[in-house]
C-alpha cells in the first residue's frame, strides 16, 4: 500500500513540476521563480518526508493541532514549514518559532499577537496578508480595498515581516472567472509593491491550488499551494 502511494506521489510530484515549468515559461519566468508548496493536511509525515526527499522545499499545514502532532517528525533540514489555514490569536503562541511563515494574516489583532510571540521567542516571522477577493461572508481574509490599510498598520510591528499576499478565490467551475480573481489579486500585489513601503517586501504572491495552479501562475502567482494533486484525495476519517 505505502509503496504504491509513494510511487504515485513521485509521479505526481514530477508532473506538477513540469506543469509549473510550462506555465512559468508562458509568462517569461522559469521553474525557479515559482515556489511549490505542498498542502499537507491529513497526510502522514512519512509521505510528506518522502516528497521532501524528492526536492519539495515548502510544506503548509492548516490546523495548529495537526501541525503540532506532526512537528517532531517533519524533515525540515531543507524544507520550510508554513502555516496556511485560519489562525486564531490564542493559538499563535503554539506555532511561532516552529513555522517560517504564516500565510493567513487578516487582522491587526492577529499580526500584533504574532509580533508579540515572535519577540518573546526572539525569532522573526514572515507573514502574508490573506485577501478575501470574492468578498465571501464566511471566509477569512481582508477585503481587497482594506489590504493596503492593514499592511500599513502592521508593517512596523517588531519581529514580523510582511512578505506578500495570499488568496483563495471562490469555488467555481468557470476557470475564466477564477483567473479574473487571480488577476485582481495580482494587480493589488503590484500596486502595493510599487509603493515600496518600509519594512515590507512584496516577494510572495501565493495563489492557486490543485485545480487552478496553472492559471494562477499565468496570472502572476509565484507560490502555488497544492494538496490533492500531489498526495491524492484526502482521507478525513483518519
Ligand atoms: C488544502 C489547501 C490547499 C490545497 O488544496 P488542494 O485543492 O488539495 O490542492 C491550498 N491552500 C490551503 C489554504 C489549503 O487549506
Amino acid at each position: 500500500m505505502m509503496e504504491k502511494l509513494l510511487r504515485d506521489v513521485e509521479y505526481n510530484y514530477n508532473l506538477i513540476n513540469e506543469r509549473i515549468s510550462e506555465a512559468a515559461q508562458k509568462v517569461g519566468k522559469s521553474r525557479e521563480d515559482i515556489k511549490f508548496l505542498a498542502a499537507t493536511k491529513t497526510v502522514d509525515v512519512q509521505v510528506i518526508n518522502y516528497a521532501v526527499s524528492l526536492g519539495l522545499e515548502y510544506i503548509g499545514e492548516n490546523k495548529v493541532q495537526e501541525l503540532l502532532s506532526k512537528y517532531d517528525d517533519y524533515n525540515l533540514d531543507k524544507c520550510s514549514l508554513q502555516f496556511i489555514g485560519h489562525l486564531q490569536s490564542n493559538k499563535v503562541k503554539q506555532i511561532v518559532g516552529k513555522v517560517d511563515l504564516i500565510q493567513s494574516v487578516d487582522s491587526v489583532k492577529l499580526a500584533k499577537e504574532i509580533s508579540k510571540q515572535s519577540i518573546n521567542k526572539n525569532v522573526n516571522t514572515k507573514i502574508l496578508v490573506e485577501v478575501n477577493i470574492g468578498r465571501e461572508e464566511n471566509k477569512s481574509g481582508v477585503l481587497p480595498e482594506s489590504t493596503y490599510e492593514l499592511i500599513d498598520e502592521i508593517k512596523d510591528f517588531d519581529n514580523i515581516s510582511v512578505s506578500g499576499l495570499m488568496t483563495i478565490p471562490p469555488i467555481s467551475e468557470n476557470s475564466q472567472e477564477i483567473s479574473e480573481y487571480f488577476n485582481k489579486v495580482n494587480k493589488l500585489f503590484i500596486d502595493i509593491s510599487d509603493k515600496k513601503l518600509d519594512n515590507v517586501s512584496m516577494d510572495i504572491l501565493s495563489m492557486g491550488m490543485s485545480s487552478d495552479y496553472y492559471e494562477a501562475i499565468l496570472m502572476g502567482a509565484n507560490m502555488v499551494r497544492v494538496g490533492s494533486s500531489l498526495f491524492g484525495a484526502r482521507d478525513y476519517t483518519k
Side-chain angles (χ1 to χ4, degrees):
M1 261 309 262
M2 184 55 87
E3 266 181 37
K4 161 88 168 73
L5 175 59
L6 298 184
R7 271 204 312 274
D8 287 349
V9 168
E10 179 167 13
Y11 178 85
N12 295 338
Y13 178 79
N14 292 330
L15 194 72
I16 294 164
N17 270 304
E18 279 170 30
R19 287 196 74 218
I20 292 174
S21 293
E22 190 187 306
Q25 277 165 29
K26 284 200 170 177
V27 287
K29 294 178 181 171
S30 65
R31 172 66 194 85
E32 293 71 45
D33 297 321
I34 314 292
K35 295 176 166 67
F36 172 7
L37 176 143
T40 49
K41 55 180 175 275
T42 77
V43 180
D44 289 342
V45 182
Q46 187 186 348
V47 179
I48 299 171
N49 285 343
Y50 179 72
V52 171
S53 77
L54 299 173
L56 181 71
E57 291 175 309
Y58 303 88
I59 58 176
E61 289 286 351
N62 73 335
K63 292 216 164 63
V64 170
Q65 217 44 56
E66 184 175 347
L67 184 150
L68 295 175
S69 74
K70 293 170 168 178
Y71 184 74
D72 287 340
D73 298 320
Y74 295 123
N75 180 358
L76 299 176
D77 294 343
K78 291 179 185 162
C79 182
S80 165
L81 173 64
Q82 309 197 349
F83 192 78
I84 62 175
H86 178 64
L87 182 58
Q88 290 169 292
S89 297
N90 63 4
K91 294 196 175 162
V92 167
K93 188 179 179 175
Q94 297 177 272
I95 63 165
V96 163
K98 294 190 164 70
V99 297
D100 298 316
L101 187 150
I102 296 173
Q103 297 212 0
S104 40
V105 175
D106 60 0
S107 70
V108 175
K109 183 184 171 202
L110 182 56
K112 192 168 278 174
E113 182 63 16
I114 297 169
S115 166
K116 181 181 152 193
Q117 297 302 336
S118 299
I119 295 166
N120 283 347
K121 295 213 170 83
N122 198 21
V123 294
N124 189 278
T125 306
K126 291 183 185 168
I127 62 168
L128 305 184
V129 168
E130 180 175 353
V131 182
N132 180 358
I133 196 62
R135 320 183 69 85
E136 292 170 283
E137 291 260 338
N138 301 319
K139 207 145 178 181
S140 341
V142 66
L143 290 175
E145 66 272 20
S146 308
T147 306
Y148 169 72
E149 199 184 314
L150 175 63
I151 291 175
D152 197 44
E153 260 189 277
I154 67 178
K155 67 183 173 36
D156 297 323
F157 290 179
D158 289 331
N159 295 49
I160 64 168
S161 313
V162 177
S163 305
L165 302 180
M166 181 271 238
T167 200
I168 306 171
I171 293 168
S172 166
E173 300 282 292
N174 182 341
S175 71
Q176 179 90 31
E177 191 183 321
I178 294 175
S179 289
E180 279 163 23
Y181 285 121
F182 288 148
N183 193 30
K184 281 187 190 165
V185 180
N186 185 42
K187 283 193 170 144
L188 196 57
F189 180 77
I190 292 168
D191 281 351
I192 297 172
S193 304
D194 285 348
K195 294 187 196 290
K196 304 205 186 310
L197 300 168
D198 285 344
N199 299 327
V200 174
S201 58
M202 296 295 279
D203 295 329
I204 301 174
L205 178 55
S206 170
M207 53 186 198
M209 317 204 292
S210 288
S211 58
D212 51 22
Y213 66 88
Y214 194 95
E215 290 78 11
I217 293 168
L218 297 186
M219 289 297 159
N222 61 19
M223 174 180 270
V224 295
R225 308 176 311 270
V226 180
S228 45
S229 285
L230 177 61
F231 298 117
R234 280 182 284 278
D235 180 359
Y236 286 103
T237 60
K238 281 191 293 189

